[in-house]
Amino acid sequence: ETEEEGEGEKSKKEEFKAAKEMKEIEQQTGEEDEDLMFKTDGALYEYVSTEEDGKAPGWRERGRGEFRINSTKKKDNVRMIMRTRGNFRLILNASMFKGQKFAKMEGGKGVTFPCVNAASENKKMTTYALKMRVAQSSAAQQVDTFLEQITKALLIAGGEESTKED
């Protein structure tokens, strides 16, 4: 082995050593001061009532990931949040409001609801559907648990009682 080759290998080891010393940066999501009320995996769909990208009006998938219902520590606001798996792209960020209605989807594997999604370009009231991504046998149970938590969340959001439909 020549002296030059030995130096080359030494500098490579030093490069790798520097990479090991990098510190991990903690990701801030804005949810740090909130309490988790409910979470589930699912797919989010938005009902588009006008023609979009040459497609007829209808349901459009907006992403798959973790859906969460969070309340502030002060219990004065509740919101629904959904981020995609992997890159944590925000696809739903909507405050809950008094009188908001949640309905079971046909087949009982999800729910539909109206909201204004701050994470979308359309800042208008729109209908969304959340299809639960859990084992076939427990999807209906997951939806029922979701509706129970919605009842609590709507009370926090200022509603006197939830308005859920079967």
Side-chain angles (χ1 to χ4, degrees):
E1 182 175 277
T2 66
E3 195 172 307
E4 288 178 12
E5 288 174 351
E7 289 178 15
E9 286 183 29
K10 186 177 179 181
S11 67
K12 283 182 186 176
K13 287 180 183 176
E14 288 174 4
E15 285 178 39
F16 289 123
K17 185 178 179 183
K20 287 182 183 177
E21 294 173 14
M22 292 177 71
K23 293 181 182 176
E24 189 174 323
I25 299 172
E26 195 169 311
Q27 183 75 23
Q28 296 283 322
T29 63
E31 299 176 46
E32 292 77 21
D33 293 328
E34 296 177 336
D35 292 325
L36 175 67
M37 295 181 70
F38 178 83
K39 77 174 178 177
T40 188
D41 286 331
L44 184 68
Y45 297 85
E46 178 181 7
Y47 186 78
V48 179
S49 58
T50 59
E51 193 171 297
E52 178 185 275
D53 299 329
K55 296 178 183 175
W59 291 100
R60 304 283 188 275
E61 185 172 337
R62 295 302 181 209
R64 296 167 187 246
E66 186 176 74
F67 174 91
R68 302 165 67 97
I69 298 174
N70 288 353
S71 68
T72 58
K73 298 273 186 200
K74 296 178 186 176
K75 304 281 188 229
D76 60 352
N77 190 25
V78 182
R79 65 180 178 146
M80 299 176 288
I81 299 164
M82 188 165 183
R83 295 180 187 281
T84 58
R85 286 267 179 236
N87 66 3
F88 303 107
R89 180 176 57 95
L90 188 65
I91 55 175
L92 178 68
N93 182 9
S95 289
M96 297 179 66
F97 56 89
K98 181 179 179 179
Q100 189 171 16
K101 296 184 183 210
F102 293 81
K104 280 187 185 180
M105 291 170 54
E106 195 172 309
K109 297 176 190 158
V111 294
T112 59
F113 53 92
C115 69
V116 176
N117 184 1
S120 80
E121 295 174 11
N122 175 12
K123 301 288 191 254
K124 296 178 183 173
M125 186 69 70
T126 308
T127 301
Y128 285 86
L130 174 67
K131 187 173 181 184
M132 309 287 177
R133 295 282 182 208
V134 292
Q136 193 79 7
S137 59
S138 64
Q141 183 181 4
Q142 186 79 351
V143 169
D144 290 340
T145 302
F146 172 85
L147 292 173
E148 288 171 15
Q149 293 303 313
I150 288 297
T151 301
K152 294 175 185 174
L154 287 172
L155 289 171
I156 293 171
E160 292 153 23
E161 68 182 67
S162 81
T163 53
K164 65 177 182 178
E165 301 171 358
D166 287 321

